[in-house]
Amino acid sequence: MAEPVNSLFEITQLIKSVIHSELGEPFWITAEILELHVNRSGHCYLELIEKHAEGEGIRAKAQGTIWANQFRMLKAYFETTAGISLETGIKILFKATVEFHELYGLSLNITDIDPSYTLGDLALKKQEVIRRLAREGVINMNREIPLPVVMQKIAVISSN
């Protein structure tokens, strides 16, 4: 064989070098949290996705990491400011560096989260639901049901 042969480690070192030189600066990125796990040492591991605009299909997926010392601060700041938990199913705007490790592959190392983006996204979703209910003519259906003279049972149905 006339072509040079590289080891897997050499190739992963090359990938790491290229990523570090080309993508060394942090980026602001938007994504939805598909999965979120906090291990015993306090590190937070996320699976992040972006869905197609027209549907539910996944357009892109990446792993994210928030190290324990950073996670304690970011979680407290996010939950205090946004008034909601950092959990699966929400969209976030975060600052991250692109990292590559020979054993663990590509990951986004998250260093900051902007809670105002998530609040804006939730408000947009709420407005879309209200518009859809109005369009379908069901937004005022409960008002059409007469209440009994003395209400004895009330049920509240809502999301978390």
Side-chain angles (χ1 to χ4, degrees), residues 79-97:
E79 291 177 354
T80 302
T81 306
I84 59 172
S85 296
L86 192 59
E87 59 189 19
T88 61
I90 63 171
K91 278 190 177 177
I92 58 172
L93 172 65
F94 59 93
K95 190 176 200 177
T97 56

Side-chain angles (χ1 to χ4, degrees), residues 38-122:
V38 180
N39 71 7
R40 283 184 273 147
S41 59
H43 302 312
C44 178
Y45 298 99
L46 304 103
E47 188 166 353
L48 303 161
I49 59 168
E50 179 178 332
K51 294 180 181 175
H52 290 283
E54 65 279 349
E56 291 295 314
I58 295 176
R59 182 177 179 195
K61 185 188 284 190
Q63 303 301 315
T65 306
I66 310 173
W67 301 117
N69 59 348
Q70 194 77 29
F71 182 62
R72 282 189 298 276
M73 291 185 301
L74 287 179
K75 184 178 188 315
Y77 172 68
F78 181 87
E79 291 177 354
T80 302
T81 306
I84 59 172
S85 296
L86 192 59
E87 59 189 19
T88 61
I90 63 171
K91 278 190 177 177
I92 58 172
L93 172 65
F94 59 93
K95 190 176 200 177
T97 56
V98 180
E99 305 290 334
F100 184 83
H101 189 274
E102 298 82 3
L103 297 176
Y104 306 112
L106 189 73
S107 179
L108 300 172
N109 184 14
I110 299 172
T111 57
D112 197 4
I113 298 176
D114 183 358
S116 61
Y117 175 84
T118 302
L119 289 174
D121 182 62
L122 292 174

Side-chain angles (χ1 to χ4, degrees), residues 117-131:
Y117 175 84
T118 302
L119 289 174
D121 182 62
L122 292 174
L124 288 173
K125 284 181 181 178
K126 178 182 175 184
Q127 290 303 316
E128 177 55 35
V129 168
I130 291 170
R131 280 194 294 274

